[in-house]
Amino acid sequence: DKGGWPSFMAKEVSEEPEAVANTLRGRIHDGVIRIPELDGLDELFLGIDRVIVIACGTAAYAGMVGKYALEQWTRLPVDVELAHEFRYRDPVIGASTLVVSISQSGETMDTLMAVKYAREQGAKTVSICNTQGATIPRESDAIVYTHAGPEVAVASTKAFVAQITALYLLALHVGRVRGTVSAATAEELARELESVPAKISRILETEQSRIEQFAHWMADTRSVLFLGRHVGYPIALEGALKLKELAYIHAEGFAAGELKHGPIALIEPGQPVFVIVPSPRESALLHAKVVSNIQEIRARGARVIVVAEEGDAAVLPFADEVLRIPLAGPMFEPLLAVVPLHIFAMGLSTAKGLDVDQPRNLAKSVTVE
Ligand code: M6R
């Protein structure tokens, strides 16, 4: 039931605030994180010396965001691997490796095979999954469910923000168990995390119709590029994937620092480029680097659309379009920055008269390898 929305995707994007709130629910008490599903697993988390995150598609981009959080708060080395690439080589893993799988459906065959393989090699496995009783969680030592609710549209939206939320919780939990995050820091971060759903709601209220209008004007666009740094990089990749899936146009995401190593050759007058701008308050250095990347592409004629924090005036002289997001802690920006990109992809698909919920050639759950 679309509940009055024009598509399941429109409904599911509107549910992004709840997807985050429901994934946090019952796991933060007065600023203290406790994930009941992970009770009794302290030994497991104390016995690991590295983490490998495995997933496919959008779930893998959530995993890339999770890498920053896991490394920052657990001080463990973290790699993110596409499940199908991980499975068919001879990865160096063992009893002290924690393999975190991420899957909305819990049935993705590539991810399932990778989890089974990791277990056979003696690795510990935690699954982040949105579907109760699915196969992947059954094959894992522990499960952290995302509570995004059923996701019907083939393109993943609310499950993505829920996956990132679950990864933050997992990272903070493991950090507390291992003593790499202080109680005070964890509390401060938990409270910031709790403020995210209302901030997503604000983006939907203030920016959605403007972004849809803007997508409408861009209906004839044949190629869109996305740039980001740090946690903005996986968000650039996610923005590009959504546009490929929903609007069938060429879209690519790049790490902004990679521009001068090749992709800048693609910039010609009129080329639309979305840039995810990190918060100037949180990292003046990263922010300055991204602003300088914007200047580089603008000088070559790019049409620059920035996703930037409210109040960030430094981007104004170089942006053709500014999509605003509220202030968040540095780690939590992805949960906000992705929302305009989901709206944009949906808007462009609608403007082109395409089926937003069921794009051609795609299945919701990929149960073959
Ligand atoms: O069910 P899963 O989370 O395991 O699915 C993984 C990918 O197949 C999925 O995220 C896919 O990339 C979506 N179509 C993205 O919108």
Side-chain angles (χ1 to χ4, degrees):
D1 177 21
K2 293 177 195 161
W5 293 93
S7 62
F8 280 105
M9 187 174 167
K11 175 173 181 275
E12 288 159 11
V13 168
S14 82
E15 290 168 349
E16 289 189 350
E18 287 117 274
V20 173
N22 290 342
T23 301
L24 296 175
R25 181 157 300 126
R27 291 163 169 174
I28 302 178
H29 306 271
D30 279 333
V32 177
I33 290 167
R34 187 181 146 222
I35 308 172
E37 299 96 305
L38 301 181
D39 279 353
L41 292 176
D42 287 9
E43 285 301 310
L44 185 154
F45 293 123
L46 288 168
I48 54 174
D49 60 14
R50 66 186 286 227
V51 180
I52 302 179
V53 181
I54 51 172
C56 302
T58 281
Y61 300 147
M64 287 174 72
V65 174
K67 172 186 163 94
Y68 292 87
L70 281 158
E71 281 187 347
Q72 174 98 14
W73 298 328
T74 71
R75 304 312 297 152
L76 287 163
V78 182
D79 291 304
V80 184
E81 302 233 21
L82 294 169
H84 35 88
E85 287 295 319
F86 171 82
R87 171 65 188 89
Y88 292 104
R89 47 186 181 76
D90 192 4
V92 183
I93 52 175
S96 58
T97 311
L98 175 67
V99 170
V100 177
S101 68
I102 310 169
S103 175
Q104 187 287 127
S105 61
E107 303 295 345
T108 300
M109 188 57 77
D110 288 314
T111 309
L112 174 63
M113 296 309 282
V115 170
K116 282 189 170 173
Y117 177 77
R119 268 197 128 175
E120 282 159 21
Q121 306 303 307
K124 307 295 184 293
T125 50
V126 172
S127 133
I128 293 179
C129 182
N130 196 45
T131 312
Q132 298 277 335
T135 311
I136 294 171
R138 285 208 304 271
E139 291 287 335
S140 307
D141 296 312
I143 315 162
V144 178
Y145 279 111
T146 47
H147 296 292
E151 194 179 60
V152 177
V154 165
S156 186
T157 53
K158 64 176 181 173
F160 177 70
V161 290
Q163 285 159 352
I164 294 175
T165 305
L167 283 158
Y168 290 144
L169 287 172
L170 177 68
L172 286 169
H173 173 83
V174 177
R176 286 299 296 134
V177 170
R178 295 177 63 91
T180 42
V181 174
S182 71
T185 303
E187 178 174 341
E188 188 189 322
L189 292 165
R191 293 200 193 278
E192 263 179 42
L193 205 41
E194 286 181 304
S195 74
V196 165
K199 292 176 182 173
I200 300 180
S201 297
R202 201 154 92 222
I203 301 170
L204 295 171
E205 279 154 28
T206 61
E207 300 288 273
Q208 180 150 9
S209 51
R210 204 165 68 83
I211 298 169
E212 281 169 353
Q213 180 60 249
F214 171 60
H216 212 85
W217 295 329
M218 284 183 65
D220 294 331
T221 304
R222 298 177 57 88
S223 157
V224 180
L225 305 181
F226 292 81
L227 300 179
R229 271 178 192 262
H230 193 258
V231 285
Y233 170 41
I235 296 307
L237 297 175
E238 165 67 2
L241 177 63
K242 284 293 108 91
L243 218 46
K244 289 174 201 156
E245 288 189 289
L246 296 171
Y248 313 154
I249 61 174
H250 170 254
E252 247 187 292
F254 299 106
E258 198 60 12
L259 262 182
K260 57 187 170 304
H261 301 287
I264 199 161
L266 288 169
I267 307 292
E268 54 183 14
Q271 169 68 51
V273 185
F274 278 75
V275 185
I276 318 300
V277 183
S279 163
R281 295 167 306 118
E282 304 290 353
S283 173
L285 182 64
L286 269 187
H287 179 265
K289 295 248 180 244
V290 171
V291 171
S292 111
N293 292 138
I294 294 174
Q295 287 169 295
E296 283 157 14
I297 55 172
R298 195 66 183 322
R300 289 162 179 83
R303 182 165 175 212
V304 179
I305 306 115
V306 302
V307 177
E309 188 176 89
E310 285 164 3
D312 178 358
V315 294
L316 293 176
F318 317 110
D320 295 283
E321 200 67 48
V322 182
L323 310 178
R324 288 294 185 190
I325 55 172
L327 280 52
M331 210 50 101
F332 302 138
E333 209 176 66
L335 289 175
L336 305 181
V338 76
V339 178
L341 305 189
H342 283 166
I343 299 169
F344 178 73
M346 181 167 68
L348 201 61
S349 172
T350 308
K352 290 180 77 172
L354 301 172
D355 185 341
V356 182
D357 288 336
Q358 183 52 261
R360 68 186 180 201
N361 309 339
L362 294 174
K364 180 64 183 160
S365 163
V366 184
T367 52
V368 290
E369 272 192 85

